[in-house]
Amino acid sequence: MKSIPFKSFLKLPNLIKFGSFVVLLIWFWFSLPQPIFNTPYSSLLFDKNNELLAAQIAPDGQWRFPASDSISYKYEQALLHFEDQFFYYHPGVNPISIGRALVQNITANHIVSGGSTITQQLIRMSRDGKQRNLYQKLIEFVLSIRLELSYSKKEILNLYASHAPFGGNVVGLETASWRYYGRPSSKLSWGETTTLAVLPNSPSLIYPGKNHRILLAKRNRLLDKLAKNDIIDSLTCELAKAEDLPQKPKALPQLAPHLLTRAINDGQQGKSIQTSLDIHIQESCNRIIAQHYAHLKENQIQNAAALIIDVKSGKVLAYVGNTPGEDINSGHQVDLITCNRSSGSILKPFLYSLMIKESQVLPHTLLADIPTQISGYAPKNFNKRYDGAVKASDALARSLNIPAVLMLQKYGVDKFRNKLKELGFTSINRSADNYGLSLILGGAEVNLWDLGSAYASLSRMLQFYTNESSEYSSDLYFHASYKSSFTYTVQNKSFNDIMGAAPVYHAFDALKEMNRPVDGVNWSLYKSSRKIAWKTGTSFGHRDAWSVGITPQYVVAVWVGNADGEGRPGLTGGAVAAPILFDIFKSLPASTWFDKPYDDMVKLVVCKKSGYKASFNCSEIDSLDIAVAGERTKACPYCKRINLDKTGQYRVNADCYRVSDMIQKSYLVLPPAMEWYYQRKNPLYQTRPPYLEGCMSQDNENIDIIYPKNNTRLFIPKNFGGLLERSVFQAAHSTAGSTIYWHIDNKYIGSTKGVHKKEVLTELGKHTLTLIDDKGERITRNFEVLLSEK
């Protein structure tokens, strides 16, 4: 179609001319693309003070930081004096500059100046790939004017600085500042700033060699121009000229790469992400993990992770997702803070606190620690030993498994599972029947994020209670956050707390003891003036090692192991995770300790020997600050008043001794199985005297069967000869040196004295085991023998 000559256009009716003008105006208004740049950006992670922690290159392979909202005074002055001194006075194009460039190019007989304004250069960059010809130049003129109508001068400068090329795959001022100088542009000197101001004009000059001499001359001419125009003084000019030019690009910081990946997966790709992390704490934590990894990898332990949470705010201060390394076969790229792993014993403090809250135990209540089988499940302590009876607080501090399993059996698996979900454990998603009693010993999977958050919530709740008029709030329980803008507010104060202040205090108090053996490690070497409530955990097969430490200010959570789940000898919470924990705490500012929540406590008279609420039979008592729920616990069942003869050497009863001649004495009387193990660990334990000759026990209280329990089903395999294997049965007697006579189905099979273990060969089917001691006391248990498939 032929174009309409201008003279012919003038002869057209006014309505058509007006319509054409409107169409042209509409085209002009909508000619500017939105957004100006449709390019991907690098993803950046900053700490709470805007220090760069990590960066990921843009999907197109360019290092291009997200557009900034401002530029420094130094860079603005350097850029304007080099590129466009009349930037603030022209409408996007500068006819004077174009005319001057045209004269210069004609005189030189080649192109020496383009005459383009910063606005025009910005439009040209946004239309990357377009041919350089007169038609495209006219389009750039129009778009430049259009750009000035919609964007302020400051916005145009920011867009230019964010998208200008600086050599290689370095795009944008902030990118160049970090790649060439290792810091933000706001902290650059005049020499550094002017170098970057002239670089987009000829990005290839950044490469070393003769190009550097040209770049140096350009920079120095710009410095002279700034000095001539009184932007800088002569001394500043000379000092800036003395600065060296940058060499090869610097590597960007990668202090928290796993958190950056997590933020990208959370929808933050291509953005500048400000976090709550503290770069100094992050660097320290990275260094500690790297130091320990140097030794761990000698045992083929490849991975470790650590999380530090500020208790009051719930913000993350350090996030080390894994050990340093490039070997993809070693799993260094996996973020182990969010990975679900077997919990080991790390959940025991929650059960301890819940049982105190619900009046089922007191801090020093004696718990059974004896060989145990429950429906075929036979938990074992880490050291394969038994204390017979142990204080609840000691069982927690030493992480004994058998007392924990017995506590969970009493508390209820389903109820404990639901409480863990209330505390924020997102990975507790199977039924209580599926977990069973192993829930407390690693049958569940948890992750560092949930674990650290839950312990931080308990610490926060306890402090809130003691600091805020003894009130609770549901708003205190929440997951930690790595976002700098995260805040929480307390709203609901009429809240029946999940755990309770005093129960949590009792748990933390039990866990602060340093001189305690855990996983075979003596932690007296780690004694310090700092009080830290700390707990370790080790999963079955030595696959996961956990450690968590709690103070009023910080929670530190550590995991060590192999990302692929391979177990290693010596991979225990006490041996490999706790040392990292304590090194991290040493690097943190000193913490205080928790105040007692007196309003959630009462003075309770407690039996010194058993730890239960004192009864009339307790001869040694103490008055302790105990959780209010302790008032509802049962009285001591173990202290008993024993009738003795007038010499105090023998037990007697009314059937064989005159009541008026009897004396009474209080004894701690444990069940026979508990007593048998307890007295071997406690040489000062005073057993009851034997009965006076002619006196008989009136109760079956001296003999007990440790294994098998009543109505147990025993699965026995066959040996190579096709015969059933033998089983080892075990009993206990409260009187040392007593003889026990063993019978199965009323058939005598032998006797034991002192140590009561008996190898037994039985047939398939149901049987009755009967034990009789040398005083005639008897006990009976039923059991069934089934053929094991293994």
Side-chain angles (χ1 to χ4, degrees):
M1 183 178 70
K2 292 183 178 180
S3 60
I4 301 175
F6 182 68
K7 290 183 179 179
S8 300
F9 176 78
L10 293 177
K11 296 178 181 179
L12 291 173
N14 289 336
L15 183 61
I16 296 178
K17 286 190 285 186
F18 178 75
S20 300
F21 176 76
V22 170
V23 170
L24 184 63
L25 187 62
I26 292 174
W27 173 85
F28 173 74
W29 187 256
F30 290 101
S31 61
L32 190 66
Q34 294 294 340
I36 301 298
F37 290 91
N38 191 22
T39 52
Y41 295 99
S42 303
S43 302
L44 309 179
L45 196 74
F46 293 90
D47 87 333
K48 62 182 182 180
N49 296 316
N50 286 316
E51 296 286 348
L52 184 62
L53 292 169
Q56 187 178 102
I57 198 167
D60 63 353
Q62 302 293 306
W63 281 110
R64 185 188 298 106
F65 284 16
S68 62
D69 55 5
S70 64
I71 58 175
S72 68
Y73 169 79
K74 290 180 182 178
Y75 184 75
E76 180 179 340
Q77 292 300 319
L79 178 63
L80 296 184
H81 279 77
F82 183 75
E83 291 285 2
D84 193 352
Q85 279 188 274
F86 300 101
F87 174 73
Y88 281 105
Y89 305 101
H90 62 65
V93 294
N94 188 344
I96 297 176
S97 297
I98 294 172
R100 184 179 66 247
L102 183 62
V103 172
Q104 291 174 343
N105 294 337
I106 293 173
T107 303
N109 203 27
H110 66 276
I111 297 175
V112 295
S113 177
S116 295
T117 64
I118 289 176
T119 309
Q120 289 175 273
Q121 293 180 50
L122 176 61
I123 290 296
R124 187 182 309 128
M125 287 188 293
S126 71
R127 304 177 76 244
D128 185 39
K130 298 294 184 181
Q131 290 184 347
R132 302 292 300 276
N133 53 42
L134 183 58
Y135 172 74
Q136 294 297 336
K137 193 75 172 177
L138 290 173
I139 295 293
E140 290 172 7
F141 278 18
V142 173
L143 291 179
S144 297
I145 295 171
R146 175 65 187 84
L147 180 66
E148 295 267 354
L149 294 175
S150 295
Y151 289 79
S152 69
K153 291 289 188 179
K154 292 291 185 182
E155 289 173 329
I156 293 171
L157 283 178
N158 292 339
L159 281 171
Y160 174 89
S162 298
H163 296 87
F166 285 84
N169 66 344
V170 179
V171 178
L173 171 64
E174 286 304 314
T175 315
S177 181
W178 276 101
R179 291 304 310 273
Y180 297 133
Y181 297 109
R183 56 186 182 276
S185 62
S186 59
K187 296 182 179 180
L188 297 182
S189 66
W190 276 107
E192 294 165 339
T193 300
T194 50
T195 299
L196 296 185
V198 303
L199 197 52
N201 184 262
S202 301
S204 61
L205 296 183
I206 192 62
Y207 296 105
K210 66 178 183 180
N211 287 343
H212 261 201
R213 291 193 296 272
I214 301 174
L215 177 61
L216 183 65
K218 279 192 171 189
R219 181 198 71 175
N220 291 346
R221 283 197 299 271
L222 176 56
L223 286 168
D224 288 335
K225 190 173 184 180
L226 291 171
K228 181 180 178 181
N229 291 332
D230 294 327
I231 303 300
I232 58 176
D233 56 39
S234 58
L235 177 60
T236 300
C237 180
E238 293 305 315
L239 291 174
K241 286 180 179 181
E243 295 181 25
D244 293 330
L245 294 176
Q247 300 301 311
K248 64 179 182 179
K250 300 177 182 293
L252 292 172
Q254 296 296 338
L255 299 176
H258 299 92
L259 180 56
L260 176 57
T261 301
R262 177 174 176 175
I264 290 173
N265 292 336
D266 288 343
Q268 301 296 309
Q269 184 168 15
K271 297 180 181 179
S272 293
I273 308 152
Q274 187 172 21
T275 71
S276 59
L277 272 63
D278 184 307
I279 190 171
H280 303 296
I281 297 178
Q282 180 72 19
E283 287 177 329
S284 177
C285 199
N286 279 337
R287 184 167 54 252
I288 291 168
I289 290 290
Q291 289 170 349
H292 282 269
Y293 174 54
H295 302 290
L296 290 170
K297 64 183 178 182
E298 295 175 0
N299 187 27
Q300 298 180 40
I301 300 172
Q302 301 294 339
N303 310 108
L307 182 69
I308 305 177
I309 301 172
D310 176 78
V311 168
K312 184 176 181 180
S313 66
K315 293 181 178 180
V316 174
L317 300 177
Y319 190 110
V320 182
N322 211 320
T323 47
E326 301 295 331
D327 184 5
I328 60 173
N329 295 321
S330 295
H332 297 294
Q333 74 281 6
V334 179
D335 183 359
L336 291 163
I337 287 178
T338 58
C339 286
N340 295 330
R341 310 290 300 216
S342 174
S343 61
S345 299
I346 207 70
L347 302 177
K348 288 176 181 176
F350 300 108
L351 177 61
Y352 177 86
S353 297
L354 288 167
M355 290 199 71
I356 291 178
K357 177 179 173 60
E358 299 195 13
S359 308
Q360 297 190 37
V361 74
L362 294 179
H364 303 316
T365 296
L366 286 181
L367 303 176
D369 182 27
I370 59 176
T372 300
Q373 277 210 359
I374 304 171
S375 300
Y377 179 54
K380 297 285 190 288
N381 291 328
F382 182 85
N383 60 10
K384 303 297 191 295
R385 299 189 182 97
Y386 309 98
D387 282 18
V390 61
K391 293 178 180 178
S393 56
D394 288 346
L396 175 63
R398 295 167 53 197
S399 198
L400 298 178
N401 292 336
I402 292 173
V405 169
L406 294 174
M407 287 172 70
L408 180 57
Q409 183 188 35
K410 183 178 180 181
Y411 185 79
V413 176
D414 187 63
K415 188 161 62 169
F416 184 55
R417 170 194 173 276
N418 293 338
K419 289 295 184 182
L420 291 176
K421 290 181 68 68
E422 285 186 58
L423 286 166
F425 285 96
T426 56
S427 56
I428 307 293
N429 50 25
R430 290 183 277 145
S431 68
D433 290 339
N434 188 282
Y435 287 119
L437 293 173
S438 68
L439 175 60
I440 199 64
L441 299 184
E445 291 186 337
V446 299
N447 57 66
L448 273 185
W449 189 255
D450 289 352
L451 186 71
S453 297
Y455 277 110
S457 292
L458 296 189
S459 177
R460 190 181 307 114
M461 176 275 295
L462 178 53
Q463 293 178 84
F464 183 84
Y465 183 87
T466 55
N467 295 334
E468 300 291 334
S469 304
S470 303
E471 292 183 289
Y472 293 116
S473 170
S474 59
D475 303 303
L476 301 172
Y477 287 82
F478 53 81
H479 275 93
S481 175
Y482 62 82
K483 298 176 181 178
S484 63
S485 58
F486 171 78
T487 57
Y488 83 92
T489 56
V490 176
Q491 296 176 344
N492 178 16
K493 290 189 176 183
S494 57
F495 175 67
N496 184 18
D497 192 73
I498 300 172
M499 309 293 278
V504 168
Y505 178 85
H506 287 313
F508 289 169
D509 191 57
L511 293 172
K512 79 176 188 298
E513 179 59 46
M514 293 296 296
N515 189 19
R516 69 189 202 240
V518 175
D519 298 345
V521 180
N522 187 353
W523 289 102
S524 60
L525 299 175
Y526 285 83
K527 276 188 175 179
S528 71
S529 58
R530 300 188 182 191
K531 289 184 178 181
I532 303 168
W534 60 286
K535 181 73 184 72
T536 63
T538 305
S539 69
F540 178 77
H542 298 272
R543 294 181 175 90
D544 306 278
W546 301 87
S547 186
V548 62
I550 309 102
T551 69
Q553 285 74 39
Y554 307 105
V555 164
V556 177
V558 176
W559 177 91
V560 179
N562 285 309
D564 62 3
E566 179 188 358
R568 296 298 304 164
L571 179 60
T572 67
V576 298
I580 296 176
L581 177 86
F582 286 111
D583 282 347
I584 291 175
F585 267 111
K586 287 178 184 177
S587 72
L588 294 172
S591 298
T592 57
W593 187 242
F594 299 97
D595 294 327
K596 271 190 177 183
Y598 286 108
D599 287 348
D600 195 35
M601 290 179 161
V602 293
K603 282 289 184 183
L604 191 67
V605 179
V606 176
C607 177
K608 275 189 175 183
K609 293 180 179 179
S610 71
Y612 280 85
K613 185 169 62 174
S615 72
F616 172 76
N617 295 326
C618 297
S619 59
E620 298 180 30
I621 59 175
D622 201 356
S623 181
L624 301 177
D625 293 319
I626 300 292
V628 171
E631 291 184 309
R632 300 189 297 273
T633 58
K634 68 179 182 180
C636 175
Y638 294 139
C639 285
K640 298 180 180 179
R641 291 189 177 272
I642 304 300
N643 294 322
L644 305 176
D645 69 350
K646 58 185 177 182
T647 68
Q649 296 181 359
Y650 298 99
R651 276 186 283 173
V652 295
N653 54 53
D655 292 338
C656 64
Y657 201 80
R658 192 163 55 187
V659 175
S660 60
D661 290 337
M662 293 181 187
I663 61 175
Q664 283 192 331
K665 184 177 179 181
S666 177
Y667 283 87
L668 178 66
V669 182
L670 297 173
M674 292 173 62
E675 185 179 70
W676 192 84
Y677 288 98
Y678 185 76
Q679 64 184 350
R680 281 155 179 75
K681 289 291 188 75
N682 298 272
L684 298 180
Y685 175 73
Q686 189 175 16
T687 59
R688 293 165 294 169
Y691 276 98
L692 183 68
E693 187 174 352
C695 288
M696 296 292 292
S697 172
Q698 296 175 323
D699 300 299
N700 289 340
E701 56 183 13
N702 298 301
I703 188 171
D704 192 13
I705 295 175
I706 299 174
Y707 181 78
K709 295 299 182 183
N710 198 31
N711 297 319
T712 295
R713 303 174 74 190
L714 308 181
F715 291 88
I716 309 298
K718 287 184 177 181
N719 58 25
F720 290 113
L723 300 176
L724 289 175
E725 296 279 5
R726 292 178 178 268
S727 300
V728 178
F729 289 0
Q730 187 174 3
H733 202 288
S734 61
T735 303
S738 294
T739 300
I740 294 179
Y741 303 94
W742 297 67
H743 305 76
I744 291 184
D745 300 331
N746 295 320
K747 180 181 178 181
Y748 175 70
I749 61 170
S751 65
T752 55
K753 187 173 183 178
V755 178
H756 302 290
K757 289 185 178 181
K758 190 71 176 173
E759 282 194 352
V760 176
L761 180 61
T762 57
E763 298 177 351
L764 297 177
K766 295 182 178 181
H767 303 277
T768 299
L769 173 66
T770 303
L771 306 185
I772 305 173
D773 70 1
D774 46 13
K775 299 294 184 181
E777 188 172 323
R778 114 181 7 232
I779 188 170
T780 299
R781 293 286 186 269
N782 296 315
F783 66 95
E784 183 179 5
V785 176
L786 301 172
L787 181 63
S788 172
E789 295 180 359
K790 294 184 179 181

